[in-house]
Amino acid sequence: MPPGGYLLRVIRCTQCGTQNPDGGGYCGGCGAALPVPAPGGGVHKLRVVPAGGGESRILQLEAGEWTVGRDPQCKLVLDDPFVSPQHAQLVAGPALHLTDLGSANGTWLRVRSPASLRAGDEMRMGRQRLRLEAVPAPAGATGGGRIWGSPSAGHRFRLVQLLEGGGSAEAMPMSDGDYLIGRDEGGMTFPGDLAISGRHAILTVSGEKASLRDLGSANGTFLRLRGDCDLQVGDHLLMGMQQIRYEAA
């Protein structure tokens, strides 16, 4: 057994769909003979770390399509209430291509370099889920005139904390400049979240543009995948509370 996990090459029964570890020859669900895997072993390696730590799984993905989700019929099953039944798809070829399948809670990619943001983008830091929103332009009153309120500071965006189960809580308005996020310091702090570093990440606003930079945090900063991408060795993903690391091709 490799340190920190076990090697698992998944073979899916063509009769009942049960996932079986390589080497048995027959399905543990219905007893049917399993298809013989292609020679040469897996072409891509993923490590799946369950929520809260514990023993990880090392998955060898051979060429083809691999559906990831909570549904037992998926090729890669993640037993997690925050994972959708059909959550994402991996296509293993010369590259490993990832597509989110419209999952309820998203597929998240760890930020490895400064990333450009746009209104509607979501990020995860520790146990926090945050969304960047554009500040609406001032509106006129019905029948003309102006709507009274607090003086405008020229804010272009706001960063909103999204709560489990729906709804929102804290919001940080932002105009041009740098905005620190962390457990101990920043314009938005989360002192009770031990998974967030003291100085975790910085959001920068310049005109109509915004960007995000991780400050070497222990647990990383993750952006919600907008659609699909090719993964690079060393990439970290979050699906629900499961962390998946692409280790090698």
Side-chain angles (χ1 to χ4, degrees):
M1 180 183 296
Y6 58 89
L7 182 64
L8 176 66
R9 180 162 64 179
V10 177
I11 300 178
R12 186 171 183 268
C13 177
T14 56
Q15 300 299 315
C16 70
T18 298
Q19 297 181 83
N20 298 269
D22 187 16
Y26 295 91
C27 176
C30 68
L34 294 173
V36 178
V43 295
H44 298 280
K45 185 169 78 172
L46 301 177
R47 183 183 296 271
V48 181
V49 182
E55 187 177 38
S56 61
R57 292 184 291 164
I58 298 177
L59 308 176
Q60 298 279 4
L61 272 60
E62 297 175 356
E65 296 181 354
W66 298 76
T67 306
V68 186
R70 197 176 70 248
D71 192 321
Q73 298 301 310
C74 291
K75 284 191 175 182
L76 300 180
V77 178
L78 298 178
D79 185 14
D80 186 315
F82 300 109
V83 170
S84 293
Q86 302 282 326
H87 194 101
Q89 184 181 66
L90 290 162
V91 178
L96 186 58
H97 192 76
L98 170 67
T99 304
D100 183 84
L101 297 177
S103 61
N105 289 306
T107 300
W108 306 75
L109 182 63
R110 186 169 183 169
V111 173
R112 300 175 69 176
S113 58
S116 296
L117 300 178
R118 61 189 183 193
D121 279 347
E122 295 183 10
M123 57 211 79
R124 280 175 61 172
M125 305 176 196
R127 283 286 291 127
Q128 309 306 316
R129 180 175 176 179
L130 310 171
R131 181 173 62 218
L132 183 70
E133 297 180 349
V135 173
T142 302
R146 298 165 59 187
I147 295 178
W148 188 89
S150 301
S152 172
H155 297 131
R156 301 178 183 275
F157 297 98
R158 60 181 170 225
L159 188 64
V160 180
Q161 180 188 29
L162 304 178
L163 302 179
E164 187 172 320
S168 59
E170 185 177 356
M172 177 174 68
M174 297 181 292
S175 49
D176 284 1
D178 293 331
Y179 295 84
L180 177 64
I181 305 165
R183 188 178 68 246
D184 304 323
E185 301 178 49
M188 184 177 275
T189 59
F190 303 97
D193 191 338
L194 299 182
I196 288 185
S197 296
R199 294 170 53 87
H200 195 101
I202 280 184
L203 265 166
T204 299
V205 174
S206 178
E208 301 301 322
K209 298 180 179 179
S211 63
L212 174 67
R213 177 166 58 95
D214 184 83
L215 296 177
S217 62
N219 294 307
T221 300
F222 292 78
L223 270 178
R224 186 170 184 167
L225 191 66
R226 294 171 183 160
D228 60 334
C229 69
D230 283 338
L231 296 179
Q232 306 296 319
V233 172
D235 277 345
H236 290 234
L237 303 170
L238 288 176
M239 297 185 193
M241 297 300 290
Q242 315 297 310
Q243 184 171 155
I244 302 172
R245 185 164 67 242
Y246 181 27
E247 294 197 336

